[in-house]
Each structure stands twice: as structure tokens, then as C-alpha cells.
Amino acid sequence: MDLLLLSNSTQHGQGYLAHALDTVTSFLPSGARLAFVPYALADHDAYTARVRGALEPSGITVRGVHESGDPLVALADADAVFVGGGNSFRLLSALYRTGLRDALRTAVRGGLPYMGASAGTNMAAPSLRTTNDMPIVQPPSFETLGLVPFQINPHYLDPDPLSTHKGETREERLTEFLEENDVPVLGLREGSWLRVAGERATVGGERPARLFARGAEPRELAAGSDASFLLTAKAAFDSPTRRAA
């Protein structure tokens, strides 16, 4: 498979996709017809126009999958697909409703390049369970595309030692996830991404990723690190750690 999984599409102080534009344009085929999946936000036309404005100057033709009337036809006609960020629950619900969930899995496993950002990156994992988003709608299932066998947490935030906020940190929430599920979680900080090309996975971007796994201390994966070992991970959901009686 050919995947580019971005933590975020907008970096502070920069335009849409500007922080990763060289990586994006080298990932997409030259002169690509890009199918954009805008369902994570409510205004599909405005969202598609934003992506078009960012990528068409680089020679990439952007077409929202909602624009043709049949998202499956739009996907079939594309050279690559980009699933944009927003609310992951709304996005997954739409993928089920339109039939794109199954169509995307088939197309990407068959070689169609897949780019995701934020919620679109969440979709590449097996489950929605490590999203940061509020469940504003209820999808038929938490099962996402399963393009990789491990979980991803985009927008990963490190604990702030000066914060007076008493809610759980992101690290604490992911630790809770691992108490109930035995699945590695790759935390992608802002400005970072994961590139998967066949059997090789590489961390990229401005900042290191943080890897969480049951029974191990979290560890850093610097930009450029080989993360291919994650592609052979075994996911065991609903597999709680043994608790004292």
C-alpha cells in the first residue's frame, strides 16, 4: 500500500497543507486526479475549494467525491484519494452511508495512493477508538479502514507540566486505551506524519512521534525513523489487562 498519514493539515502560522506541501506533491502522482473526501466537515463545497486552492497550483486536479453525485464513481476515476480532517465520527458515518468505507479499503489495498490528515489519518487505523473527537453522531461501527494494523493518535499533545487543568492528559487517555486493548498507538505530533510504502513505514515531518504499547514505557521515534515493525503488529481489541480480584 501507498499511504501518507498526516497529523494535521494546517500548521500554526501557515496556509492549508503548506507545512507538508513538498511531501504531499512528491507523494501524489504527477498531474494526479485527486478524489477528495470532505465528509468530516459540514460544508463539503467550501472544504473542497480549500483543498483545490492549496493543490491545484502544483498541477493536481481536485474533485470532491460529493460533486459527481456518485462518490464511488468519483473514487474509481481518481489517481489518488485524500480524506480530510474534521470530526472523525461524522466522517466514518458518511463512509458507511455512501459505501466508501468498503470501496476505499478495496481501492487502496489494490494500489490507489491514500493521503489522510487528522480524521482521515484516523480512518487508516483499525478502529476509531483513539480519536480525540467528540461523538457528535453515531456510526454503525467503530471499525475504520484497517489499512495499517495499529492505532494512530493525530494531534498528539505532550503533558504540560505548568498546566492547572486537571483533566486527563493525552498520555493518560492512551494508557487507559491500552488497559482495555492490546494494540500499539502511534502518537503523531503537529507537523509530523507517517509514510507507508509497501512493507516500509517511516516517520516524517518536523517533530518525532511517540509510540505507546502495552507493558512498555512510551518511546520517541525521531523523524526519519524506520517504523516498519508496526506493520506486523497484532491488534487485540477488548482484551483488558488482568485485574486484581
Side-chain angles (χ1 to χ4, degrees):
M1 282 183 292
D2 203 10
L3 314 174
L4 177 61
L5 305 176
L6 305 166
S7 176
N8 52 303
S9 53
T10 305
Q11 191 81 335
H12 178 71
Q14 300 184 56
Y16 187 81
L17 288 177
H19 70 290
L21 189 59
D22 289 345
T23 297
V24 168
T25 54
S26 63
F27 169 74
L28 296 173
S30 178
R33 297 168 300 167
L34 181 67
F36 175 60
V37 180
Y39 297 137
L41 295 185
D43 192 334
H44 302 157
D45 289 337
Y47 200 2
T48 301
R50 186 189 311 171
V51 176
R52 191 172 280 138
L55 295 181
E56 288 204 338
S58 298
I60 298 161
T61 301
V62 177
R63 177 170 296 175
V65 295
H66 68 292
E67 293 178 323
S68 68
D70 188 337
L72 302 185
V73 171
L75 180 66
D77 288 342
D79 301 311
V81 62
F82 175 29
V83 182
N87 185 277
S88 296
F89 291 90
R90 174 158 53 192
L91 172 58
L92 184 57
S93 293
L95 295 185
Y96 274 102
R97 185 176 64 251
T98 59
L100 274 172
R101 176 180 171 270
D102 289 341
L104 278 167
R105 291 174 69 174
T106 299
V108 176
R109 288 173 177 172
L112 185 73
Y114 178 100
M115 185 170 80
S118 188
T121 289
N122 278 326
M123 294 303 108
S127 172
L128 201 59
R129 298 186 195 201
T130 52
T131 180
N132 306 316
D133 297 329
M134 182 177 289
I136 61 173
V137 297
Q138 182 170 312
S141 167
F142 280 0
E143 288 188 24
T144 43
L145 300 178
L147 303 177
V148 296
F150 54 92
Q151 290 297 116
I152 302 175
N153 180 243
H155 306 287
Y156 176 76
L157 283 174
D158 294 292
D160 180 359
L162 301 180
S163 175
T164 58
H165 176 65
K166 301 308 293 180
E168 293 93 336
T169 65
R170 191 69 53 78
E171 182 166 330
E172 288 170 335
R173 290 187 184 277
L174 294 178
T175 298
E176 290 173 347
F177 169 81
L178 289 170
E179 291 169 350
E180 303 292 338
N181 307 277
D182 190 2
V183 190
V185 184
L186 187 67
L188 291 176
R189 295 180 174 93
E190 299 286 90
S192 63
W193 53 78
L194 184 72
R195 177 75 172 89
V196 178
E199 298 180 357
R200 183 173 176 81
T202 308
V203 174
E206 301 174 1
R207 305 176 68 191
R210 190 161 175 82
L211 180 63
F212 297 83
R214 179 183 282 186
E217 289 296 315
R219 64 186 178 107
E220 298 288 299
L221 295 179
S225 293
D226 185 355
S228 303
F229 63 94
L230 287 172
L231 299 178
T232 59
K234 304 297 182 183
F237 291 96
D238 300 308
S239 176
T241 52
R242 183 172 297 177
R243 300 181 178 90

